Amino acid sequence: MAYYRQVGEIPRKRHTQFRTPEGGLYAEELMGVEGFSADSALLYHRHLPTAIVDAVTVADDRGPLEPNLPLKPRHFKTTDLTWDDADAVTGRRRLFGNPDVTIGFVRASVASPLYRNAAGDELLYVQEGEGVVETIYGALPVGPGDYVVLPTSTTYRVVPETPLSLLVLEATGHIGPPKRYLSAKGQFLEHSPYCERDVRGPVEPLLVDGEDVDVLVRHRAGLTRFTYANHPFDVVGWDGHLYPWVFNIRDFEPITGRVHQPPPVHQTFEGPNFVVCSFVPRKVDYHPLSVPVPYNHANVDSDELMFYVGGDYEARKGSGIGIGSLSLHPSGCTHGPQPGAVEASLGAEAFDETAVMVDTFRPLELGEAALAGEDPRYAWSWSRRGPDLD
């Protein structure tokens, strides 16, 4: 993360004796990325974080991925997916994937197991519901519109208070604010659409007692369930720049202009070979002859995935898309407003729409959950004729 945070008790100097009230030593753990050469946090445990008593391979079958063939724009409805007492970790259903990112969706109603993704950072977007993401760094209350950034190897679990609908991105690297928003020392710059004041992090330690505690770990070779001698939520204090954090989409300040602004003005995060953008309610273009909806465009280097989460998305009217829909516009296809949307937008002063966009620079393949919720009519919604129309 872009700035330093301290939570709980820590000694004045790093890597010096820090004793418990009983006189023993707390156990240090350095969580760091890029081999001690980038951001890190130093955590102080009541017990050894290395003490495992068992390790078992767990089946990791998320179903096959299929290429987008025939190549065409597609529409998927998360509202068509069914759930049975799902949790936010094992209940995820894979929608899309490529070598850089796996994109899933879950409607979680029960607490997840303790979990750690050791293969890359995760980004959760809360579409609906409220709950708590408990982590070794502390607890993060979350609600509608929250993005939750979970650094690689953060042990956590998700506890719903009401059913949580989550879009989940699992990266093969790190996710953070776009570099162009940050100074050389990591401060958000003046042109950034959000800043440190908008970021929420843990505020106090989360201490839980327990012995022989299971933690499900995703790693580069699959899934393993470790059993730890003591509960991993035993950190009395930590400090550093690497920790989980929350940013709400409603705190994103839209960048507007006299004519239509390109999608990079909506960028919120960047990951390995993908970006995440936030489209929020905003005033629209104010040139007297402006056309507020997007122009037709061809993403020659990326696939564009849009998740519609609120309001009324002007450019897609008449396409069948609604709240909870995902549209996929792949590289190789030109896409743009639905018929009639351009004329209908003329003279508009504001748009009331909220959407999360993921642009990937390698093609997205389709998972079982996407295929289970596909509306096959979408590709023909511009011409209004095609093989899947009634």
PDB file of all heavy atoms in Angstrom, residues 68 70-75 319 328-330 333-335 338 374-389:
ATOM      1  N   ASN A  68     -13.199 -18.389 -26.155  1.00  0.00           N
ATOM      2  CA  ASN A  68     -14.372 -17.650 -26.633  1.00  0.00           C
ATOM      3  C   ASN A  68     -14.538 -17.929 -28.127  1.00  0.00           C
ATOM      4  O   ASN A  68     -14.140 -17.139 -28.973  1.00  0.00           O
ATOM      5  CB  ASN A  68     -14.190 -16.156 -26.364  1.00  0.00           C
ATOM      6  CG  ASN A  68     -15.388 -15.323 -26.778  1.00  0.00           C
ATOM      7  OD1 ASN A  68     -16.386 -15.856 -27.262  1.00  0.00           O
ATOM      8  ND2 ASN A  68     -15.283 -14.015 -26.593  1.00  0.00           N
ATOM      9  N   PRO A  70     -17.428 -19.472 -31.080  1.00  0.00           N
ATOM     10  CA  PRO A  70     -16.890 -18.467 -32.008  1.00  0.00           C
ATOM     11  C   PRO A  70     -16.680 -17.137 -31.293  1.00  0.00           C
ATOM     12  O   PRO A  70     -17.395 -16.821 -30.346  1.00  0.00           O
ATOM     13  CB  PRO A  70     -17.965 -18.373 -33.092  1.00  0.00           C
ATOM     14  CG  PRO A  70     -19.224 -18.761 -32.378  1.00  0.00           C
ATOM     15  CD  PRO A  70     -18.817 -19.817 -31.400  1.00  0.00           C
ATOM     16  N   LEU A  71     -15.706 -16.379 -31.746  1.00  0.00           N
ATOM     17  CA  LEU A  71     -15.426 -15.090 -31.124  1.00  0.00           C
ATOM     18  C   LEU A  71     -16.625 -14.167 -31.279  1.00  0.00           C
ATOM     19  O   LEU A  71     -17.087 -13.922 -32.394  1.00  0.00           O
ATOM     20  CB  LEU A  71     -14.196 -14.455 -31.782  1.00  0.00           C
ATOM     21  CG  LEU A  71     -13.738 -13.146 -31.142  1.00  0.00           C
ATOM     22  CD1 LEU A  71     -13.096 -13.419 -29.784  1.00  0.00           C
ATOM     23  CD2 LEU A  71     -12.773 -12.394 -32.050  1.00  0.00           C
ATOM     24  N   LYS A  72     -17.134 -13.660 -30.151  1.00  0.00           N
ATOM     25  CA  LYS A  72     -18.268 -12.737 -30.222  1.00  0.00           C
ATOM     26  C   LYS A  72     -18.435 -12.045 -28.880  1.00  0.00           C
ATOM     27  O   LYS A  72     -17.956 -12.536 -27.841  1.00  0.00           O
ATOM     28  CB  LYS A  72     -19.555 -13.466 -30.597  1.00  0.00           C
ATOM     29  CG  LYS A  72     -19.993 -14.530 -29.617  1.00  0.00           C
ATOM     30  CD  LYS A  72     -21.282 -15.223 -30.103  1.00  0.00           C
ATOM     31  CE  LYS A  72     -21.736 -16.299 -29.121  1.00  0.00           C
ATOM     32  NZ  LYS A  72     -22.998 -16.946 -29.550  1.00  0.00           N
ATOM     33  N   PRO A  73     -19.099 -10.884 -28.859  1.00  0.00           N
ATOM     34  CA  PRO A  73     -19.476 -10.264 -27.586  1.00  0.00           C
ATOM     35  C   PRO A  73     -20.444 -11.180 -26.841  1.00  0.00           C
ATOM     36  O   PRO A  73     -21.269 -11.865 -27.473  1.00  0.00           O
ATOM     37  CB  PRO A  73     -20.158  -8.955 -28.001  1.00  0.00           C
ATOM     38  CG  PRO A  73     -19.791  -8.754 -29.430  1.00  0.00           C
ATOM     39  CD  PRO A  73     -19.557 -10.112 -30.016  1.00  0.00           C
ATOM     40  N   ARG A  74     -20.360 -11.178 -25.511  1.00  0.00           N
ATOM     41  CA  ARG A  74     -21.199 -12.076 -24.732  1.00  0.00           C
ATOM     42  C   ARG A  74     -21.767 -11.359 -23.502  1.00  0.00           C
ATOM     43  O   ARG A  74     -21.201 -10.383 -23.016  1.00  0.00           O
ATOM     44  CB  ARG A  74     -20.416 -13.320 -24.297  1.00  0.00           C
ATOM     45  CG  ARG A  74     -19.950 -14.184 -25.471  1.00  0.00           C
ATOM     46  CD  ARG A  74     -19.132 -15.359 -25.007  1.00  0.00           C
ATOM     47  NE  ARG A  74     -18.601 -16.135 -26.128  1.00  0.00           N
ATOM     48  CZ  ARG A  74     -19.168 -17.230 -26.614  1.00  0.00           C
ATOM     49  NH1 ARG A  74     -20.306 -17.685 -26.093  1.00  0.00           N
ATOM     50  NH2 ARG A  74     -18.614 -17.890 -27.617  1.00  0.00           N
ATOM     51  N   HIS A  75     -22.890 -11.878 -23.018  1.00  0.00           N
ATOM     52  CA  HIS A  75     -23.576 -11.344 -21.847  1.00  0.00           C
ATOM     53  C   HIS A  75     -23.855 -12.499 -20.893  1.00  0.00           C
ATOM     54  O   HIS A  75     -24.368 -13.538 -21.308  1.00  0.00           O
ATOM     55  CB  HIS A  75     -24.886 -10.667 -22.278  1.00  0.00           C
ATOM     56  CG  HIS A  75     -25.784 -10.282 -21.147  1.00  0.00           C
ATOM     57  ND1 HIS A  75     -27.162 -10.221 -21.270  1.00  0.00           N
ATOM     58  CD2 HIS A  75     -25.519  -9.944 -19.865  1.00  0.00           C
ATOM     59  CE1 HIS A  75     -27.685  -9.848 -20.121  1.00  0.00           C
ATOM     60  NE2 HIS A  75     -26.715  -9.683 -19.252  1.00  0.00           N
ATOM     61  N   SER A 319     -30.334  -3.957 -24.522  1.00  0.00           N
ATOM     62  CA  SER A 319     -29.488  -5.130 -24.776  1.00  0.00           C
ATOM     63  C   SER A 319     -29.837  -6.321 -23.896  1.00  0.00           C
ATOM     64  O   SER A 319     -29.309  -7.409 -24.103  1.00  0.00           O
ATOM     65  CB  SER A 319     -28.023  -4.768 -24.547  1.00  0.00           C
ATOM     66  OG  SER A 319     -27.801  -4.472 -23.168  1.00  0.00           O
ATOM     67  N   LEU A 328     -18.871  -9.184 -21.965  1.00  0.00           N
ATOM     68  CA  LEU A 328     -17.505  -9.440 -22.405  1.00  0.00           C
ATOM     69  C   LEU A 328     -17.392  -9.001 -23.850  1.00  0.00           C
ATOM     70  O   LEU A 328     -18.066  -9.540 -24.733  1.00  0.00           O
ATOM     71  CB  LEU A 328     -17.178 -10.930 -22.273  1.00  0.00           C
ATOM     72  CG  LEU A 328     -15.801 -11.359 -22.807  1.00  0.00           C
ATOM     73  CD1 LEU A 328     -14.680 -10.663 -22.056  1.00  0.00           C
ATOM     74  CD2 LEU A 328     -15.649 -12.880 -22.733  1.00  0.00           C
ATOM     75  N   HIS A 329     -16.545  -7.989 -24.091  1.00  0.00           N
ATOM     76  CA  HIS A 329     -16.275  -7.501 -25.436  1.00  0.00           C
ATOM     77  C   HIS A 329     -14.813  -7.821 -25.747  1.00  0.00           C
ATOM     78  O   HIS A 329     -13.903  -7.146 -25.271  1.00  0.00           O
ATOM     79  CB  HIS A 329     -16.542  -5.993 -25.530  1.00  0.00           C
ATOM     80  CG  HIS A 329     -17.965  -5.632 -25.246  1.00  0.00           C
ATOM     81  ND1 HIS A 329     -18.322  -4.637 -24.367  1.00  0.00           N
ATOM     82  CD2 HIS A 329     -19.114  -6.160 -25.715  1.00  0.00           C
ATOM     83  CE1 HIS A 329     -19.641  -4.543 -24.315  1.00  0.00           C
ATOM     84  NE2 HIS A 329     -20.147  -5.469 -25.119  1.00  0.00           N
ATOM     85  N   PRO A 330     -14.559  -8.867 -26.532  1.00  0.00           N
ATOM     86  CA  PRO A 330     -13.193  -9.345 -26.716  1.00  0.00           C
ATOM     87  C   PRO A 330     -12.431  -8.573 -27.784  1.00  0.00           C
ATOM     88  O   PRO A 330     -13.016  -7.940 -28.668  1.00  0.00           O
ATOM     89  CB  PRO A 330     -13.402 -10.798 -27.149  1.00  0.00           C
ATOM     90  CG  PRO A 330     -14.708 -10.768 -27.877  1.00  0.00           C
ATOM     91  CD  PRO A 330     -15.556  -9.744 -27.172  1.00  0.00           C
ATOM     92  N   CYS A 333     -13.316  -7.648 -31.795  1.00  0.00           N
ATOM     93  CA  CYS A 333     -14.694  -7.204 -32.043  1.00  0.00           C
ATOM     94  C   CYS A 333     -14.804  -5.712 -31.739  1.00  0.00           C
ATOM     95  O   CYS A 333     -14.338  -5.264 -30.691  1.00  0.00           O
ATOM     96  CB  CYS A 333     -15.689  -7.954 -31.165  1.00  0.00           C
ATOM     97  SG  CYS A 333     -15.887  -9.695 -31.555  1.00  0.00           S
ATOM     98  N   THR A 334     -15.413  -4.973 -32.643  1.00  0.00           N
ATOM     99  CA  THR A 334     -15.759  -3.580 -32.356  1.00  0.00           C
ATOM    100  C   THR A 334     -17.064  -3.573 -31.573  1.00  0.00           C
ATOM    101  O   THR A 334     -17.988  -4.320 -31.874  1.00  0.00           O
ATOM    102  CB  THR A 334     -15.929  -2.790 -33.656  1.00  0.00           C
ATOM    103  OG1 THR A 334     -14.697  -2.834 -34.377  1.00  0.00           O
ATOM    104  CG2 THR A 334     -16.298  -1.346 -33.374  1.00  0.00           C
ATOM    105  N   HIS A 335     -17.137  -2.722 -30.547  1.00  0.00           N
ATOM    106  CA  HIS A 335     -18.379  -2.616 -29.792  1.00  0.00           C
ATOM    107  C   HIS A 335     -18.644  -1.160 -29.461  1.00  0.00           C
ATOM    108  O   HIS A 335     -17.777  -0.298 -29.572  1.00  0.00           O
ATOM    109  CB  HIS A 335     -18.353  -3.473 -28.527  1.00  0.00           C
ATOM    110  CG  HIS A 335     -17.384  -2.994 -27.487  1.00  0.00           C
ATOM    111  ND1 HIS A 335     -16.033  -3.253 -27.560  1.00  0.00           N
ATOM    112  CD2 HIS A 335     -17.565  -2.282 -26.355  1.00  0.00           C
ATOM    113  CE1 HIS A 335     -15.424  -2.729 -26.516  1.00  0.00           C
ATOM    114  NE2 HIS A 335     -16.326  -2.133 -25.763  1.00  0.00           N
ATOM    115  N   GLN A 338     -25.723   0.669 -27.855  1.00  0.00           N
ATOM    116  CA  GLN A 338     -26.820  -0.039 -28.496  1.00  0.00           C
ATOM    117  C   GLN A 338     -27.550   0.901 -29.455  1.00  0.00           C
ATOM    118  O   GLN A 338     -27.474   2.139 -29.322  1.00  0.00           O
ATOM    119  CB  GLN A 338     -27.794  -0.569 -27.453  1.00  0.00           C
ATOM    120  CG  GLN A 338     -27.179  -1.506 -26.437  1.00  0.00           C
ATOM    121  CD  GLN A 338     -26.515  -2.723 -27.041  1.00  0.00           C
ATOM    122  OE1 GLN A 338     -25.411  -3.079 -26.697  1.00  0.00           O
ATOM    123  NE2 GLN A 338     -27.210  -3.372 -27.958  1.00  0.00           N
ATOM    124  N   GLU A 374     -25.153 -17.587 -19.407  1.00  0.00           N
ATOM    125  CA  GLU A 374     -25.025 -16.781 -20.620  1.00  0.00           C
ATOM    126  C   GLU A 374     -26.381 -16.499 -21.274  1.00  0.00           C
ATOM    127  O   GLU A 374     -27.253 -17.370 -21.347  1.00  0.00           O
ATOM    128  CB  GLU A 374     -24.113 -17.462 -21.641  1.00  0.00           C
ATOM    129  CG  GLU A 374     -23.891 -16.598 -22.879  1.00  0.00           C
ATOM    130  CD  GLU A 374     -22.846 -17.120 -23.830  1.00  0.00           C
ATOM    131  OE1 GLU A 374     -22.418 -18.279 -23.670  1.00  0.00           O
ATOM    132  OE2 GLU A 374     -22.450 -16.359 -24.743  1.00  0.00           O
ATOM    133  N   ASP A 375     -26.533 -15.266 -21.758  1.00  0.00           N
ATOM    134  CA  ASP A 375     -27.659 -14.879 -22.604  1.00  0.00           C
ATOM    135  C   ASP A 375     -27.166 -14.887 -24.041  1.00  0.00           C
ATOM    136  O   ASP A 375     -26.458 -13.969 -24.464  1.00  0.00           O
ATOM    137  CB  ASP A 375     -28.150 -13.478 -22.215  1.00  0.00           C
ATOM    138  CG  ASP A 375     -29.205 -12.931 -23.161  1.00  0.00           C
ATOM    139  OD1 ASP A 375     -29.677 -13.693 -24.032  1.00  0.00           O
ATOM    140  OD2 ASP A 375     -29.545 -11.736 -23.034  1.00  0.00           O
ATOM    141  N   PRO A 376     -27.516 -15.888 -24.839  1.00  0.00           N
ATOM    142  CA  PRO A 376     -26.928 -16.022 -26.181  1.00  0.00           C
ATOM    143  C   PRO A 376     -27.408 -14.972 -27.175  1.00  0.00           C
ATOM    144  O   PRO A 376     -26.844 -14.864 -28.267  1.00  0.00           O
ATOM    145  CB  PRO A 376     -27.362 -17.425 -26.607  1.00  0.00           C
ATOM    146  CG  PRO A 376     -28.618 -17.682 -25.848  1.00  0.00           C
ATOM    147  CD  PRO A 376     -28.426 -16.993 -24.522  1.00  0.00           C
ATOM    148  N   ARG A 377     -28.412 -14.182 -26.815  1.00  0.00           N
ATOM    149  CA  ARG A 377     -28.965 -13.201 -27.753  1.00  0.00           C
ATOM    150  C   ARG A 377     -28.137 -11.922 -27.845  1.00  0.00           C
ATOM    151  O   ARG A 377     -28.303 -11.133 -28.769  1.00  0.00           O
ATOM    152  CB  ARG A 377     -30.391 -12.847 -27.342  1.00  0.00           C
ATOM    153  CG  ARG A 377     -31.349 -14.036 -27.347  1.00  0.00           C
ATOM    154  CD  ARG A 377     -32.652 -13.689 -26.661  1.00  0.00           C
ATOM    155  NE  ARG A 377     -32.432 -13.385 -25.256  1.00  0.00           N
ATOM    156  CZ  ARG A 377     -33.370 -12.974 -24.423  1.00  0.00           C
ATOM    157  NH1 ARG A 377     -34.600 -12.802 -24.853  1.00  0.00           N
ATOM    158  NH2 ARG A 377     -33.087 -12.718 -23.157  1.00  0.00           N
ATOM    159  N   TYR A 378     -27.227 -11.706 -26.857  1.00  0.00           N
ATOM    160  CA  TYR A 378     -26.559 -10.406 -26.740  1.00  0.00           C
ATOM    161  C   TYR A 378     -25.757 -10.035 -27.976  1.00  0.00           C
ATOM    162  O   TYR A 378     -25.762  -8.880 -28.417  1.00  0.00           O
ATOM    163  CB  TYR A 378     -25.653 -10.407 -25.514  1.00  0.00           C
ATOM    164  CG  TYR A 378     -24.895  -9.121 -25.314  1.00  0.00           C
ATOM    165  CD1 TYR A 378     -25.541  -7.953 -24.943  1.00  0.00           C
ATOM    166  CD2 TYR A 378     -23.507  -9.067 -25.495  1.00  0.00           C
ATOM    167  CE1 TYR A 378     -24.857  -6.771 -24.749  1.00  0.00           C
ATOM    168  CE2 TYR A 378     -22.809  -7.901 -25.310  1.00  0.00           C
ATOM    169  CZ  TYR A 378     -23.484  -6.747 -24.936  1.00  0.00           C
ATOM    170  OH  TYR A 378     -22.802  -5.575 -24.756  1.00  0.00           O
ATOM    171  N   ALA A 379     -25.032 -10.995 -28.561  1.00  0.00           N
ATOM    172  CA  ALA A 379     -24.145 -10.677 -29.696  1.00  0.00           C
ATOM    173  C   ALA A 379     -24.893 -10.054 -30.856  1.00  0.00           C
ATOM    174  O   ALA A 379     -24.309  -9.308 -31.659  1.00  0.00           O
ATOM    175  CB  ALA A 379     -23.407 -11.933 -30.157  1.00  0.00           C
ATOM    176  N   TRP A 380     -26.190 -10.325 -30.971  1.00  0.00           N
ATOM    177  CA  TRP A 380     -26.966  -9.850 -32.115  1.00  0.00           C
ATOM    178  C   TRP A 380     -27.800  -8.614 -31.768  1.00  0.00           C
ATOM    179  O   TRP A 380     -28.635  -8.199 -32.576  1.00  0.00           O
ATOM    180  CB  TRP A 380     -27.887 -10.977 -32.610  1.00  0.00           C
ATOM    181  CG  TRP A 380     -27.293 -12.342 -32.413  1.00  0.00           C
ATOM    182  CD1 TRP A 380     -27.762 -13.332 -31.619  1.00  0.00           C
ATOM    183  CD2 TRP A 380     -26.092 -12.846 -33.001  1.00  0.00           C
ATOM    184  NE1 TRP A 380     -26.942 -14.428 -31.660  1.00  0.00           N
ATOM    185  CE2 TRP A 380     -25.901 -14.162 -32.508  1.00  0.00           C
ATOM    186  CE3 TRP A 380     -25.144 -12.322 -33.891  1.00  0.00           C
ATOM    187  CZ2 TRP A 380     -24.825 -14.957 -32.870  1.00  0.00           C
ATOM    188  CZ3 TRP A 380     -24.073 -13.109 -34.255  1.00  0.00           C
ATOM    189  CH2 TRP A 380     -23.906 -14.410 -33.751  1.00  0.00           C
ATOM    190  N   SER A 381     -27.551  -8.008 -30.585  1.00  0.00           N
ATOM    191  CA  SER A 381     -28.416  -6.906 -30.140  1.00  0.00           C
ATOM    192  C   SER A 381     -28.181  -5.612 -30.912  1.00  0.00           C
ATOM    193  O   SER A 381     -29.031  -4.714 -30.873  1.00  0.00           O
ATOM    194  CB  SER A 381     -28.228  -6.661 -28.637  1.00  0.00           C
ATOM    195  OG  SER A 381     -26.877  -6.325 -28.339  1.00  0.00           O
ATOM    196  N   TRP A 382     -27.049  -5.497 -31.629  1.00  0.00           N
ATOM    197  CA  TRP A 382     -26.827  -4.297 -32.432  1.00  0.00           C
ATOM    198  C   TRP A 382     -27.553  -4.403 -33.780  1.00  0.00           C
ATOM    199  O   TRP A 382     -28.131  -3.432 -34.250  1.00  0.00           O
ATOM    200  CB  TRP A 382     -25.326  -4.089 -32.660  1.00  0.00           C
ATOM    201  CG  TRP A 382     -24.602  -3.626 -31.447  1.00  0.00           C
ATOM    202  CD1 TRP A 382     -24.378  -2.341 -31.044  1.00  0.00           C
ATOM    203  CD2 TRP A 382     -23.980  -4.460 -30.459  1.00  0.00           C
ATOM    204  NE1 TRP A 382     -23.667  -2.315 -29.859  1.00  0.00           N
ATOM    205  CE2 TRP A 382     -23.409  -3.614 -29.480  1.00  0.00           C
ATOM    206  CE3 TRP A 382     -23.849  -5.837 -30.304  1.00  0.00           C
ATOM    207  CZ2 TRP A 382     -22.712  -4.094 -28.361  1.00  0.00           C
ATOM    208  CZ3 TRP A 382     -23.177  -6.312 -29.195  1.00  0.00           C
ATOM    209  CH2 TRP A 382     -22.615  -5.442 -28.243  1.00  0.00           C
ATOM    210  N   SER A 383     -27.531  -5.591 -34.381  1.00  0.00           N
ATOM    211  CA  SER A 383     -28.190  -5.757 -35.677  1.00  0.00           C
ATOM    212  C   SER A 383     -29.664  -6.127 -35.519  1.00  0.00           C
ATOM    213  O   SER A 383     -30.463  -5.948 -36.454  1.00  0.00           O
ATOM    214  CB  SER A 383     -27.489  -6.853 -36.486  1.00  0.00           C
ATOM    215  OG  SER A 383     -27.625  -8.114 -35.835  1.00  0.00           O
ATOM    216  N   ARG A 384     -29.977  -6.682 -34.342  1.00  0.00           N
ATOM    217  CA  ARG A 384     -31.345  -7.135 -34.039  1.00  0.00           C
ATOM    218  C   ARG A 384     -31.785  -8.287 -34.927  1.00  0.00           C
ATOM    219  O   ARG A 384     -32.976  -8.495 -35.143  1.00  0.00           O
ATOM    220  CB  ARG A 384     -32.330  -5.968 -34.098  1.00  0.00           C
ATOM    221  CG  ARG A 384     -32.052  -4.933 -33.004  1.00  0.00           C
ATOM    222  CD  ARG A 384     -32.955  -3.742 -33.063  1.00  0.00           C
ATOM    223  NE  ARG A 384     -32.678  -2.822 -31.961  1.00  0.00           N
ATOM    224  CZ  ARG A 384     -33.101  -1.579 -31.887  1.00  0.00           C
ATOM    225  NH1 ARG A 384     -33.847  -1.081 -32.874  1.00  0.00           N
ATOM    226  NH2 ARG A 384     -32.802  -0.828 -30.854  1.00  0.00           N
ATOM    227  N   ARG A 385     -30.841  -9.045 -35.387  1.00  0.00           N
ATOM    228  CA  ARG A 385     -31.140 -10.308 -36.052  1.00  0.00           C
ATOM    229  C   ARG A 385     -29.930 -11.221 -35.919  1.00  0.00           C
ATOM    230  O   ARG A 385     -28.778 -10.751 -35.872  1.00  0.00           O
ATOM    231  CB  ARG A 385     -31.521 -10.117 -37.524  1.00  0.00           C
ATOM    232  CG  ARG A 385     -30.498  -9.459 -38.405  1.00  0.00           C
ATOM    233  CD  ARG A 385     -31.107  -9.118 -39.754  1.00  0.00           C
ATOM    234  NE  ARG A 385     -30.145  -8.483 -40.645  1.00  0.00           N
ATOM    235  CZ  ARG A 385     -29.418  -9.131 -41.546  1.00  0.00           C
ATOM    236  NH1 ARG A 385     -29.538 -10.454 -41.661  1.00  0.00           N
ATOM    237  NH2 ARG A 385     -28.577  -8.495 -42.326  1.00  0.00           N
ATOM    238  N   GLY A 386     -30.198 -12.516 -35.809  1.00  0.00           N
ATOM    239  CA  GLY A 386     -29.125 -13.474 -35.625  1.00  0.00           C
ATOM    240  C   GLY A 386     -29.672 -14.823 -35.238  1.00  0.00           C
ATOM    241  O   GLY A 386     -30.873 -14.974 -34.981  1.00  0.00           O
ATOM    242  N   PRO A 387     -28.802 -15.829 -35.128  1.00  0.00           N
ATOM    243  CA  PRO A 387     -29.274 -17.211 -34.974  1.00  0.00           C
ATOM    244  C   PRO A 387     -29.953 -17.506 -33.638  1.00  0.00           C
ATOM    245  O   PRO A 387     -30.718 -18.461 -33.539  1.00  0.00           O
ATOM    246  CB  PRO A 387     -27.994 -18.039 -35.113  1.00  0.00           C
ATOM    247  CG  PRO A 387     -26.881 -17.102 -34.818  1.00  0.00           C
ATOM    248  CD  PRO A 387     -27.344 -15.762 -35.294  1.00  0.00           C
ATOM    249  N   ASP A 388     -29.700 -16.699 -32.572  1.00  0.00           N
ATOM    250  CA  ASP A 388     -30.266 -17.022 -31.271  1.00  0.00           C
ATOM    251  C   ASP A 388     -31.482 -16.169 -30.916  1.00  0.00           C
ATOM    252  O   ASP A 388     -31.991 -16.283 -29.804  1.00  0.00           O
ATOM    253  CB  ASP A 388     -29.195 -16.833 -30.192  1.00  0.00           C
ATOM    254  CG  ASP A 388     -28.005 -17.760 -30.415  1.00  0.00           C
ATOM    255  OD1 ASP A 388     -28.220 -18.981 -30.402  1.00  0.00           O
ATOM    256  OD2 ASP A 388     -26.902 -17.263 -30.627  1.00  0.00           O
ATOM    257  N   LEU A 389     -31.937 -15.323 -31.839  1.00  0.00           N
ATOM    258  CA  LEU A 389     -33.085 -14.484 -31.544  1.00  0.00           C
ATOM    259  C   LEU A 389     -34.378 -15.252 -31.811  1.00  0.00           C
ATOM    260  O   LEU A 389     -34.447 -16.098 -32.704  1.00  0.00           O
ATOM    261  CB  LEU A 389     -33.035 -13.214 -32.407  1.00  0.00           C
ATOM    262  CG  LEU A 389     -31.842 -12.287 -32.139  1.00  0.00           C
ATOM    263  CD1 LEU A 389     -31.934 -11.063 -33.021  1.00  0.00           C
ATOM    264  CD2 LEU A 389     -31.773 -11.877 -30.672  1.00  0.00           C
TER     265      LEU A 389
END
